[in-house]
């Protein structure tokens, strides 16, 4: 049912997940050894790309190649009548993505992007309980740590910051961006670290920081409202990722006893994400990270890059 294209560091996780969902039909990669090992491990065919496209039993493809190769493969898959799940970013060009989203609509196919935070159970629980903070005033995110620098994804904006831009745009009051400020610098790419401020029409301000050259790993989102604060810390120990502090912003101290952690289902975000794509292929169910969501995210990424000062 699903063919996976790209069997690298992340692609092999996608291969494993679709296998666990009993939906994996074929794999393909430009490196024959890598592709062959995974095909043997999961007892599926190591199938050339053109054969995946022509196989009527394969109804959807997952594209996990470097970002600079996304656009061509997405277009070929859509023209072959396949639903598409593509890892972030959808493409490295907003105009290119617009054409692909239009093509998907014309073909009545889904183009789903792997903005994985939307399928993270802690983020889903955050959205469910977000009313507890009252009117949102400030959103602060940080995503950094030593990482694999990917020049094929241009810079840290398109590789790491994309996660938090997409997640912030999914929150209440964060639909219409009215101003973008961005500062950053780079040694290995045009931007290895960035600090961004987004101001929304609702008066909400989001401050986002990302780096793949800082040595301490951090993945955290803090949401300050008039009646409380949520902290989603993806590096915290299990069960303590989502903290709620029910205090007014006018309080100078936070009673420790008032804090509590929000519980949620324990499921792999990647498993949930792949399951959503599979269910759409089978039943036409709705996906959150569709073409419209992808275009909103890419639009902000381009604005950040064009406004970046060093």
């Amino acid at each position: 049912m699903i063919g996976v294209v790209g069997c690298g560091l992340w692609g092999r996780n996608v291969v494993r997940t679709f296998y666990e969902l009993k939906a994996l039909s074929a794999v393909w990669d430009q490196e024959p050894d890598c592709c062959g090992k995974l095909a043997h491990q999961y007892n599926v065919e190591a199938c050339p790309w053109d054969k995946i496209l022509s196989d009527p039993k394969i109804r959807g493809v997952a594209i996990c190649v470097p970002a600079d190769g996304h656009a061509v493969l997405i277009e070929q898959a859509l023209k072959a009548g396949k639903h598409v799940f593509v890892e972030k970013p959808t493409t490295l060009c907003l105009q290119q993505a617009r054409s692909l989203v239009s093509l998907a609509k014309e073909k009545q196919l889904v183009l789903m992007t792997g903005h994985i935070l939307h399928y993270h159970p802690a983020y889903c629980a955050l959205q469910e309980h977000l009313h507890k903070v009252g009117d949102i005033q400030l959103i602060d995110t940080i995503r950094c740590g030593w990482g694999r620098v990917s020049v094929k994804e241009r810079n840290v904006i398109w590789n790491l910051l994309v996660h938090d831009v997409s997640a912030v745009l999914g929150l209440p009051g964060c639909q219409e961006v009215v101003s973008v400020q961005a500062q950053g610098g780079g040694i290995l790419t045009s931007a290895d670290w960035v600090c961004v401020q987004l101001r929304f029409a609702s008066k909400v301000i989001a401050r986002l920081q990302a780096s793949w050259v800082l040595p301490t790993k951090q993945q955290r989102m803090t949401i300050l409202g008039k009646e409380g604060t949520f902290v989603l810390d993806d590096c915290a120990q299990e069960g303590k990722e989502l903290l709620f502090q029910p205090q007014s912003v006018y309080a100078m101290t936070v009673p420790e006893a008032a804090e509590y952690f929000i519980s949620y289902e324990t499921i792999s975000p990647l498993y949930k994400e792949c399951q959503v794509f599979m269910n759409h292929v089978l039943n036409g169910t709705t996906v959150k990270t569709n073409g419209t969501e992808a275009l909103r995210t890419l639009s902000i990424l381009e604005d950040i890059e064009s406004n970046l000062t060093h």
Side-chain angles (χ1 to χ4, degrees):
M1 180 202 313
I2 305 296
V4 179
V5 182
C7 302
L9 291 173
W10 186 249
R12 66 190 66 173
N13 295 324
V14 176
V15 169
R16 184 197 70 245
T17 303
F18 278 116
Y19 174 79
E20 292 171 352
L21 288 164
K22 304 186 187 308
L24 184 66
S25 295
V27 295
W28 176 76
D29 192 275
Q30 289 183 329
E31 296 292 334
D33 289 346
C34 175
C35 183
K37 287 178 182 177
L38 281 178
H40 177 74
Q41 181 178 352
Y42 295 110
N43 194 30
V44 294
E45 189 176 359
C47 198
W49 176 234
D50 58 348
K51 190 173 179 182
I52 288 177
L53 294 181
S54 62
D55 188 340
K57 296 190 296 296
I58 296 178
R59 298 173 58 188
V61 296
I63 297 173
C64 307
V65 303
D68 60 354
H70 286 181
V72 171
L73 296 181
I74 292 171
E75 182 177 12
Q76 291 173 347
L78 291 173
K79 287 183 175 179
K82 310 296 184 186
H83 295 285
V84 175
F85 165 60
V86 61
E87 280 304 331
K88 57 78 191 168
T90 316
T91 67
L92 293 173
C93 172
L94 176 60
Q95 189 56 47
Q96 206 170 39
R98 285 192 179 119
S99 298
L100 294 171
V101 170
S102 295
L103 178 61
K105 185 176 181 180
E106 175 191 329
K107 297 285 187 178
Q108 297 185 313
L109 298 165
V110 73
L111 173 52
M112 173 179 168
T113 301
H115 292 151
I116 197 167
L117 284 181
H118 289 269
Y119 305 96
H120 194 304
Y123 178 81
C124 295
L126 170 68
Q127 289 185 310
E128 181 182 346
H129 292 273
L130 197 54
H131 63 278
K132 295 177 180 178
V133 304
D135 294 334
I136 298 174
Q137 305 297 299
L138 175 67
I139 302 167
D140 188 271
T141 75
I142 183 167
R143 184 171 300 273
C144 63
W146 287 114
R148 182 175 57 89
V149 175
S150 176
V151 295
K152 292 187 176 182
E153 291 186 2
R154 194 179 298 163
N155 54 45
V156 76
I157 296 170
W158 298 84
N159 183 275
L160 291 185
L161 193 72
V162 55
H163 287 295
D164 297 305
V165 169
S166 174
V168 167
L169 292 177
L171 297 174
C174 298
Q175 281 67 54
E176 184 183 350
V177 178
V178 295
S179 73
V180 176
Q181 295 177 305
Q183 292 181 310
I187 301 171
L188 304 172
T189 70
S190 59
D192 297 324
W193 59 89
V194 290
C195 298
V196 175
Q197 179 171 292
L198 305 178
R199 187 180 295 271
F200 295 90
S202 63
K203 308 301 183 184
V204 173
I205 292 176
R207 302 184 309 187
L208 302 89
Q209 179 181 347
S211 169
W212 51 21
V213 293
L214 291 178
T216 305
K217 183 177 181 180
Q218 298 182 71
Q219 296 176 0
R220 186 173 63 251
M221 172 184 286
T222 304
I223 301 176
L224 173 68
K226 286 188 175 181
E227 303 301 328
T229 302
F230 265 113
V231 180
L232 195 170
D233 188 348
D234 207 20
C235 294
Q237 68 184 81
E238 186 175 345
K240 295 189 175 182
E241 295 96 337
L242 187 57
L243 173 68
F244 177 57
Q245 297 176 333
Q247 90 286 355
S248 166
V249 294
Y250 305 107
M252 298 303 293
T253 60
V254 182
E256 188 173 335
E259 299 181 347
Y260 61 93
F261 294 98
I262 303 292
S263 60
Y264 51 85
E265 64 172 337
T266 54
I267 184 173
S268 158
L270 179 58
Y271 187 93
K272 184 66 175 178
E273 184 177 55
C274 292
Q275 186 180 53
V276 167
F277 179 66
M278 181 190 74
N279 287 340
H280 177 86
V281 171
L282 288 174
N283 306 311
T285 51
T286 303
V287 301
K288 290 186 287 187
T289 54
N290 56 21
T292 301
E293 190 274 337
L295 294 180
R296 290 185 66 227
T297 301
L298 291 176
S299 175
I300 300 304
L301 294 181
E302 284 202 350
D303 284 347
I304 290 170
E305 193 166 50
S306 64
N307 284 282
L308 186 66
T309 60
H310 293 79

